[in-house]
Amino acid sequence: MTSPDDTLTIRPVRPEDVPAVVAMVHELAEYERAPEQCHLTTEQLDAALFGASPALFGHVAVDAADQPVGFALWFLNFSTWAGVHGIYLEDLYVRPAARGTGAGRMLLATLAAICVERGYQRLEWWMINWNPAARFYAAIGATPMDEWTPYRLAGPALRELATHATAAPTRPAP
């Protein structure tokens, strides 16, 4: 997908984009006031996107010089009620200098097009509640799912619960 003025293009992430995407993930963590929680490395993202069985996918918004200025990292989810997959958008980020150029809208439109093309019924994401992007999301027709409360199990609680498993995992770790 190319912007009307041909200054931005959306395309799948390539291996050579990985360092720029990792840098932007760290920029996003800084923006979300949690840089100490972001430990992503180039090697990790490269393996997740381009390893033997990738389960993570990505697109970048690139400028006229083919330099990434924004990204979307996503994976498939599944609705047991609808009986079809959907896309869960893990992260969407546009560098400050490229905000207002349509890069974010183009990234989301690309994911929406993938959903429509593949018969997926949902494109979902979480947003930190103070993010001013809420106005942008509302403007494109996205609605907050405020009747659902996200939960997370991690760290010691995750390890403690795992000790109560009665069977080994059904498939080897990637």
Side-chain angles (χ1 to χ4, degrees), residues 31-118:
Y31 174 78
E32 291 186 353
R33 306 173 189 154
E36 70 286 347
Q37 295 177 34
C38 186
H39 305 288
L40 180 66
T41 67
T42 300
E43 293 77 18
Q44 289 173 319
L45 186 58
D46 188 70
L49 289 167
F50 303 108
S53 297
L56 179 70
F57 307 95
H59 285 79
V60 287
V62 294
D63 62 16
D66 203 38
Q67 295 303 305
V69 297
F71 74 89
L73 292 175
W74 57 276
F75 53 87
L76 296 180
N77 58 19
F78 186 81
S79 170
T80 55
W81 290 13
V84 296
H85 283 289
I87 287 178
Y88 181 81
L89 175 61
E90 177 64 20
D91 280 324
L92 173 74
Y93 179 76
V94 176
R95 286 192 156 143
R99 291 182 189 154
T101 63
R105 177 182 283 274
M106 289 171 60
L107 284 162
L108 285 171
T110 298
L111 298 185
I114 291 169
C115 287
V116 170
E117 174 185 303
R118 297 181 185 177

